[in-house]
Amino acid sequence: MNGNLLLRIAVAIILLTHSVFGIFNNGINDFGNLYLNQVGFAPFGLYLAWLIKISHIIAAILLLLNKYIKLAGFVTIFILIMGIVMVHFQEGWFVVGGGRNGCEYNFLLICVLLAIMYPSGFSKKINS
């Protein structure tokens, strides 16, 4: 088994479930209309919310197919960082327990995506 296959499957499941449920429970529309439009993205908040969720679905599929991993990772990491900046940071670190809606979950997803994108680490080998 590929060393990061389990991580790719896990992140894909997280991205898919987070996105698909939002499609069917009106969460995406609420996020676009009731949050993004209210914080300055009007009149594009709804479109932006859908683009975010569609990007998560595409990233999940790419992770499962092991294709364009770095592109999928960079886009998803950007969205996760923006989520931290705009929503989660002000709520603190903890998602549950010591707080609510904090940034620890996004932080973990970012680290896992980086591990998937760079399975051998960040260093470059210099051949002499």
Side-chain angles (χ1 to χ4, degrees), residues 2-127:
N2 181 322
N4 66 19
L5 176 62
L6 185 58
L7 292 177
R8 289 189 291 112
I9 291 170
V11 173
I13 289 169
I14 289 169
L15 293 174
L16 284 172
T17 56
H18 195 71
S19 300
V20 171
F21 284 117
I23 291 171
F24 295 108
N25 71 5
N26 210 37
I28 297 172
N29 292 334
D30 288 347
F31 178 63
N33 288 321
L34 303 178
Y35 178 73
L36 290 175
N37 278 341
Q38 304 305 314
V39 297
F41 289 96
F44 305 107
L46 182 60
Y47 302 110
L48 186 57
W50 276 94
L51 284 173
I52 290 167
K53 292 308 174 181
I54 289 169
S55 79
H56 284 348
I57 292 168
I58 292 169
I61 293 167
L62 292 174
L63 286 168
L64 291 173
L65 296 175
N66 201 23
K67 301 287 184 191
Y68 303 106
I69 296 295
K70 287 186 181 175
L71 176 62
F74 283 128
V75 170
T76 305
I77 288 170
F78 175 75
I79 292 168
L80 292 169
I81 289 171
M82 293 309 297
I84 290 171
V85 169
M86 295 180 66
V87 177
H88 302 291
F89 185 76
Q90 64 193 5
E91 300 293 334
W93 177 254
F94 298 102
V95 174
V96 296
R100 189 189 87 63
N101 206 23
C103 56
E104 67 179 329
Y105 187 68
N106 282 27
F107 175 78
L108 178 61
L109 283 174
I110 290 167
C111 290
V112 172
L113 283 166
L114 288 170
I116 292 169
M117 293 163 61
Y118 299 98
S120 300
F122 294 112
S123 64
K124 286 187 174 185
K125 290 183 180 179
I126 301 174
N127 295 331

